[in-house]
Amino acid sequence: MKLMKKLFLFAALLSFAAAGPAQAKDIVMDGSTTVGPVAKSFAAYFTKTTGVQVTVSESGSGNGAKSLINGACDIANMSRAMKDKEVAAAKAKGVDPVQHVVALDGIAVVVHPSNYVSSLKIEQIRDIYIGKVTNWSQVGGPNAKIVVIQRESNSGTQDSFKSLVVGKGNAITKGAETQASNGAVKSRVGSTPAAIGFIGLGFVDDSVKPLVVNGVKPANETVKDGSYPVARPLFMYTNGQPTGNVKKFIELPKTDDGKRMISELGFVNKY
Protein backbone atom coordinates (compact mmCIF):
# COMPACT_ATOMS: atom_id res chain seq x y z
CA MET A 1 0.00 0.00 0.00
CA LYS A 2 2.82 2.35 0.89
CA LEU A 3 4.39 1.61 -2.48
CA MET A 4 1.13 2.51 -4.28
CA LYS A 5 0.95 5.82 -2.40
CA LYS A 6 4.51 6.62 -3.39
CA LEU A 7 3.74 5.80 -7.03
CA PHE A 8 0.66 8.08 -6.99
CA LEU A 9 2.69 10.88 -5.40
CA PHE A 10 5.48 10.46 -7.95
CA ALA A 11 2.96 10.55 -10.82
CA ALA A 12 1.35 13.67 -9.39
CA LEU A 13 4.70 15.43 -9.11
CA LEU A 14 5.56 14.51 -12.69
CA SER A 15 2.21 15.87 -13.86
CA PHE A 16 2.72 19.14 -11.98
CA ALA A 17 6.26 19.50 -13.32
CA ALA A 18 5.04 18.96 -16.88
CA ALA A 19 2.08 21.36 -16.65
CA GLY A 20 3.67 24.10 -14.55
CA PRO A 21 6.41 25.39 -16.89
CA ALA A 22 4.09 25.22 -19.95
CA GLN A 23 1.61 27.60 -18.28
CA ALA A 24 4.33 29.85 -16.92
CA LYS A 25 6.39 30.05 -20.14
CA ASP A 26 7.43 33.59 -20.85
CA ILE A 27 6.56 35.17 -24.21
CA VAL A 28 9.24 36.94 -26.23
CA MET A 29 8.25 39.48 -28.90
CA ASP A 30 10.44 41.37 -31.35
CA GLY A 31 9.93 43.62 -34.37
CA SER A 32 8.05 46.71 -35.52
CA THR A 33 8.23 50.00 -33.64
CA THR A 34 4.78 50.80 -35.05
CA VAL A 35 3.24 47.68 -33.52
CA GLY A 36 5.36 48.26 -30.40
CA PRO A 37 2.83 50.36 -28.42
CA VAL A 38 0.10 47.75 -28.94
CA ALA A 39 2.51 44.93 -28.06
CA LYS A 40 3.68 46.68 -24.89
CA SER A 41 0.16 47.53 -23.80
CA PHE A 42 -0.95 43.93 -24.39
CA ALA A 43 2.16 42.67 -22.58
CA ALA A 44 1.45 44.72 -19.45
CA TYR A 45 -2.18 43.58 -19.46
CA PHE A 46 -1.27 39.93 -20.05
CA THR A 47 1.32 39.86 -17.28
CA LYS A 48 -1.12 41.51 -14.88
CA THR A 49 -3.97 39.10 -15.66
CA THR A 50 -2.02 35.84 -16.09
CA GLY A 51 1.32 36.31 -14.35
CA VAL A 52 3.14 35.39 -17.56
CA GLN A 53 6.09 37.64 -18.34
CA VAL A 54 6.12 39.16 -21.83
CA THR A 55 9.18 40.98 -23.19
CA VAL A 56 8.88 43.33 -26.16
CA SER A 57 11.85 44.46 -28.29
CA GLU A 58 11.39 47.06 -31.02
CA SER A 59 14.07 46.39 -33.62
CA GLY A 60 11.99 46.91 -36.78
CA SER A 61 9.82 44.59 -38.85
CA GLY A 62 12.73 43.11 -40.79
CA ASN A 63 14.56 42.17 -37.62
CA GLY A 64 11.33 40.79 -36.15
CA ALA A 65 11.06 38.43 -39.11
CA LYS A 66 14.68 37.37 -38.59
CA SER A 67 14.05 36.70 -34.91
CA LEU A 68 11.10 34.43 -35.69
CA ILE A 69 13.10 32.61 -38.36
CA ASN A 70 16.02 32.12 -35.97
CA GLY A 71 13.78 30.99 -33.12
CA ALA A 72 14.73 34.00 -31.01
CA CYS A 73 11.15 35.13 -30.40
CA ASP A 74 7.67 33.62 -30.02
CA ILE A 75 5.91 36.46 -31.84
CA ALA A 76 7.26 38.75 -34.57
CA ASN A 77 5.57 42.16 -34.69
CA MET A 78 5.42 43.50 -38.25
CA SER A 79 3.90 46.57 -39.87
CA ARG A 80 4.07 44.86 -43.26
CA ALA A 81 3.45 41.36 -44.50
CA MET A 82 6.39 38.97 -44.59
CA LYS A 83 8.20 39.05 -47.91
CA ASP A 84 8.42 35.94 -50.11
CA LYS A 85 12.15 35.66 -49.43
CA GLU A 86 11.53 35.78 -45.66
CA VAL A 87 8.88 33.07 -45.90
CA ALA A 88 11.28 30.95 -47.97
CA ALA A 89 14.07 31.47 -45.39
CA ALA A 90 11.67 30.46 -42.63
CA LYS A 91 10.56 27.30 -44.45
CA ALA A 92 14.21 26.36 -45.03
CA LYS A 93 14.70 26.39 -41.26
CA GLY A 94 11.52 24.45 -40.54
CA VAL A 95 9.63 27.55 -39.38
CA ASP A 96 6.02 28.00 -40.51
CA PRO A 97 5.14 31.73 -40.33
CA VAL A 98 1.44 32.23 -39.57
CA GLN A 99 0.06 35.74 -40.02
CA HIS A 100 -2.34 37.36 -37.52
CA VAL A 101 -3.85 40.81 -38.15
CA VAL A 102 -3.69 42.84 -34.92
CA ALA A 103 -5.11 46.18 -36.02
CA LEU A 104 -5.34 48.61 -38.92
CA ASP A 105 -3.19 51.71 -39.23
CA GLY A 106 -3.04 54.77 -41.42
CA ILE A 107 0.35 56.16 -42.34
CA ALA A 108 0.03 59.87 -41.68
CA VAL A 109 2.12 62.17 -43.89
CA VAL A 110 3.11 64.94 -41.51
CA VAL A 111 4.60 68.43 -41.76
CA HIS A 112 5.47 71.17 -39.27
CA PRO A 113 2.33 72.85 -37.83
CA SER A 114 3.48 76.23 -39.21
CA ASN A 115 3.50 74.93 -42.80
CA TYR A 116 0.34 76.21 -44.49
CA VAL A 117 0.23 73.30 -46.90
CA SER A 118 -2.54 71.09 -45.54
CA SER A 119 -3.40 68.81 -48.45
CA LEU A 120 -1.45 66.98 -51.15
CA LYS A 121 -2.16 64.35 -53.75
CA ILE A 122 -0.25 61.08 -53.61
CA GLU A 123 1.52 62.03 -56.84
CA GLN A 124 2.81 65.24 -55.22
CA ILE A 125 4.07 63.35 -52.16
CA ARG A 126 5.76 60.83 -54.46
CA ASP A 127 7.44 63.62 -56.42
CA ILE A 128 8.77 65.10 -53.17
CA TYR A 129 10.19 61.76 -52.07
CA ILE A 130 11.86 60.96 -55.41
CA GLY A 131 13.42 64.44 -55.54
CA LYS A 132 11.36 65.79 -58.43
CA VAL A 133 9.83 68.48 -56.18
CA THR A 134 12.37 70.08 -53.85
CA ASN A 135 10.76 73.36 -52.73
CA TRP A 136 7.46 73.83 -50.90
CA SER A 137 6.56 76.63 -53.32
CA GLN A 138 6.17 73.97 -56.07
CA VAL A 139 3.17 72.50 -54.22
CA GLY A 140 1.56 75.73 -52.98
CA GLY A 141 3.68 76.25 -49.87
CA PRO A 142 6.34 78.70 -48.71
CA ASN A 143 9.59 79.29 -50.56
CA ALA A 144 11.66 76.83 -48.57
CA LYS A 145 13.72 73.77 -49.50
CA ILE A 146 11.89 70.61 -48.44
CA VAL A 147 13.61 68.51 -45.77
CA VAL A 148 12.62 64.93 -46.63
CA ILE A 149 12.51 62.46 -43.72
CA GLN A 150 12.31 58.69 -44.22
CA ARG A 151 12.70 55.56 -42.07
CA GLU A 152 15.53 53.03 -42.00
CA SER A 153 15.60 50.14 -44.49
CA ASN A 154 14.36 47.47 -42.04
CA SER A 155 11.26 49.49 -41.17
CA GLY A 156 7.90 48.03 -42.15
CA THR A 157 6.46 51.56 -42.25
CA GLN A 158 9.16 52.50 -44.77
CA ASP A 159 8.29 49.46 -46.85
CA SER A 160 4.56 50.20 -46.76
CA PHE A 161 5.11 53.88 -47.62
CA LYS A 162 7.29 52.97 -50.60
CA SER A 163 4.67 50.52 -51.82
CA LEU A 164 1.63 52.79 -51.28
CA VAL A 165 3.10 56.19 -52.22
CA VAL A 166 6.55 56.17 -53.82
CA GLY A 167 6.09 53.13 -56.02
CA LYS A 168 8.34 50.08 -55.99
CA GLY A 169 10.12 51.15 -59.17
CA ASN A 170 11.13 54.55 -57.79
CA ALA A 171 14.03 55.37 -55.50
CA ILE A 172 13.73 57.80 -52.62
CA THR A 173 15.97 60.83 -53.08
CA LYS A 174 19.50 60.37 -51.71
CA GLY A 175 19.06 63.68 -49.93
CA ALA A 176 16.45 62.21 -47.57
CA GLU A 177 17.31 62.02 -43.90
CA THR A 178 16.79 58.70 -42.15
CA GLN A 179 15.31 58.35 -38.67
CA ALA A 180 15.12 55.14 -36.65
CA SER A 181 11.57 55.22 -35.31
CA ASN A 182 8.14 56.81 -35.56
CA GLY A 183 8.99 58.93 -32.52
CA ALA A 184 12.25 60.13 -34.06
CA VAL A 185 10.49 61.13 -37.31
CA LYS A 186 7.81 62.99 -35.35
CA SER A 187 10.43 64.81 -33.29
CA ARG A 188 12.45 65.82 -36.38
CA VAL A 189 9.40 67.06 -38.30
CA GLY A 190 8.02 68.82 -35.23
CA SER A 191 11.24 70.79 -34.82
CA THR A 192 11.91 71.49 -38.52
CA PRO A 193 9.54 73.97 -40.27
CA ALA A 194 10.40 72.75 -43.80
CA ALA A 195 10.29 69.01 -43.07
CA ILE A 196 7.96 66.28 -44.29
CA GLY A 197 7.81 62.76 -42.88
CA PHE A 198 5.47 59.83 -42.35
CA ILE A 199 4.43 58.07 -39.14
CA GLY A 200 1.81 55.64 -37.89
CA LEU A 201 -1.51 57.35 -37.20
CA GLY A 202 -1.27 56.38 -33.53
CA PHE A 203 1.84 58.55 -33.13
CA VAL A 204 0.27 61.80 -34.38
CA ASP A 205 -0.06 64.59 -31.83
CA ASP A 206 -0.08 68.41 -31.82
CA SER A 207 3.66 68.62 -32.53
CA VAL A 208 3.05 67.76 -36.20
CA LYS A 209 0.31 68.37 -38.78
CA PRO A 210 -1.09 65.38 -40.71
CA LEU A 211 -1.85 66.17 -44.36
CA VAL A 212 -5.11 65.42 -46.13
CA VAL A 213 -4.16 62.97 -48.90
CA ASN A 214 -6.19 62.82 -52.13
CA GLY A 215 -8.87 64.81 -50.31
CA VAL A 216 -9.18 62.36 -47.41
CA LYS A 217 -8.19 63.13 -43.82
CA PRO A 218 -6.22 60.42 -42.00
CA ALA A 219 -8.53 59.23 -39.22
CA ASN A 220 -9.80 56.03 -37.66
CA GLU A 221 -13.02 56.23 -39.66
CA THR A 222 -11.31 56.73 -43.04
CA VAL A 223 -8.80 53.95 -42.34
CA LYS A 224 -11.57 51.55 -41.33
CA ASP A 225 -13.79 52.31 -44.33
CA GLY A 226 -10.82 52.10 -46.72
CA SER A 227 -11.11 55.65 -48.07
CA TYR A 228 -7.75 56.88 -46.73
CA PRO A 229 -5.26 55.77 -49.39
CA VAL A 230 -2.17 55.32 -47.20
CA ALA A 231 -3.34 52.59 -44.82
CA ARG A 232 -2.21 49.07 -43.99
CA PRO A 233 -2.85 46.20 -41.57
CA LEU A 234 -0.51 45.53 -38.66
CA PHE A 235 0.58 41.96 -37.97
CA MET A 236 1.88 39.51 -35.42
CA TYR A 237 3.50 36.34 -36.76
CA THR A 238 3.89 33.02 -34.96
CA ASN A 239 5.67 29.80 -35.87
CA GLY A 240 2.67 27.63 -36.74
CA GLN A 241 -0.78 28.04 -35.23
CA PRO A 242 -0.29 29.35 -31.69
CA THR A 243 -1.18 27.32 -28.62
CA GLY A 244 -1.32 27.93 -24.87
CA ASN A 245 -0.36 31.38 -23.64
CA VAL A 246 0.78 32.55 -27.08
CA LYS A 247 -2.67 31.71 -28.46
CA LYS A 248 -4.35 33.63 -25.61
CA PHE A 249 -2.07 36.60 -26.31
CA ILE A 250 -2.64 36.56 -30.08
CA GLU A 251 -6.42 36.57 -29.54
CA LEU A 252 -6.36 39.74 -27.39
CA PRO A 253 -7.31 42.03 -30.35
CA LYS A 254 -10.65 40.17 -30.54
CA THR A 255 -11.50 40.80 -26.88
CA ASP A 256 -13.22 43.87 -25.43
CA ASP A 257 -10.11 44.79 -23.42
CA GLY A 258 -7.89 44.34 -26.47
CA LYS A 259 -10.14 46.53 -28.63
CA ARG A 260 -10.14 49.19 -25.93
CA MET A 261 -6.35 49.23 -25.74
CA ILE A 262 -6.00 49.45 -29.53
CA SER A 263 -8.43 52.39 -29.67
CA GLU A 264 -6.77 54.19 -26.76
CA LEU A 265 -3.44 53.97 -28.59
CA GLY A 266 -4.91 55.62 -31.69
CA PHE A 267 -4.98 52.54 -33.90
CA VAL A 268 -8.03 51.07 -35.64
CA ASN A 269 -9.71 47.85 -34.59
CA LYS A 270 -9.88 45.13 -37.22
CA TYR A 271 -12.46 43.01 -35.35
Side-chain angles (χ1 to χ4, degrees):
M1 194 63 185
K2 287 184 178 178
L3 177 61
M4 289 298 291
K5 283 184 177 178
K6 287 181 179 179
L7 287 174
F8 278 128
L9 178 60
F10 182 64
L13 288 172
L14 281 179
S15 174
F16 177 78
Q23 288 302 314
K25 182 182 181 300
D26 295 346
I27 296 174
V28 178
M29 309 181 78
D30 190 13
S32 166
T33 64
T34 301
V35 184
V38 175
K40 287 187 285 191
S41 183
F42 280 10
Y45 172 88
F46 201 72
T47 298
K48 183 178 179 181
T49 55
T50 68
V52 175
Q53 295 298 313
V54 184
T55 58
V56 181
S57 298
E58 298 173 280
S59 62
S61 295
N63 289 330
K66 289 178 184 175
S67 292
L68 188 73
I69 294 168
N70 295 328
C73 71
D74 301 297
I75 299 172
N77 300 323
M78 300 187 65
S79 59
R80 60 164 172 80
M82 265 199 178
K83 299 175 181 176
D84 290 345
K85 63 181 182 182
E86 291 170 331
V87 173
K91 298 286 187 185
K93 286 203 168 188
V95 174
D96 176 27
V98 174
Q99 181 187 90
H100 310 271
V101 175
V102 181
L104 306 177
D105 183 34
I107 299 178
V109 181
V110 293
V111 298
H112 191 273
S114 67
N115 191 330
Y116 51 81
V117 171
S118 58
S119 177
L120 290 175
K121 294 185 179 298
I122 277 191
E123 292 78 10
Q124 292 173 306
I125 301 169
R126 178 200 64 206
D127 287 348
I128 290 172
Y129 271 86
I130 65 175
K132 188 174 178 181
V133 169
T134 58
N135 193 295
W136 281 111
S137 63
Q138 294 173 268
V139 289
N143 180 22
K145 183 181 178 182
I146 301 174
V147 179
V148 179
I149 310 295
Q150 65 171 342
R151 289 289 306 282
E152 75 279 27
S153 60
N154 68 351
S155 161
T157 302
Q158 173 82 356
D159 229 62
S160 297
F161 182 79
K162 287 177 70 176
S163 174
L164 294 167
V165 177
V166 180
K168 287 289 185 182
N170 296 319
I172 291 179
T173 174
K174 292 181 179 178
E177 292 184 18
T178 300
Q179 297 292 338
S181 66
N182 284 279
V185 172
K186 183 176 69 174
S187 177
R188 182 72 171 115
V189 173
S191 61
T192 310
I196 186 171
F198 51 88
I199 57 178
L201 187 58
F203 292 86
V204 172
D205 61 22
D206 291 341
S207 67
V208 293
K209 181 169 75 173
L211 296 178
V212 172
V213 179
N214 284 3
V216 181
K217 181 181 179 181
N220 287 3
E221 297 74 19
T222 57
V223 170
K224 187 130 186 171
D225 68 18
S227 59
Y228 182 65
V230 196
R232 39 71 188 274
L234 302 177
F235 305 103
M236 291 182 180
Y237 278 83
T238 56
N239 178 11
Q241 291 295 341
T243 59
N245 287 326
V246 174
K247 183 174 189 293
K248 291 178 185 174
F249 191 95
I250 285 291
E251 290 180 344
L252 277 177
K254 299 176 182 177
T255 68
D256 289 342
D257 283 341
K259 292 175 184 176
R260 173 182 53 77
M261 286 185 275
I262 289 169
S263 295
E264 287 176 352
L265 290 167
F267 294 99
V268 180
N269 282 300
K270 162 70 175 175
Y271 305 101

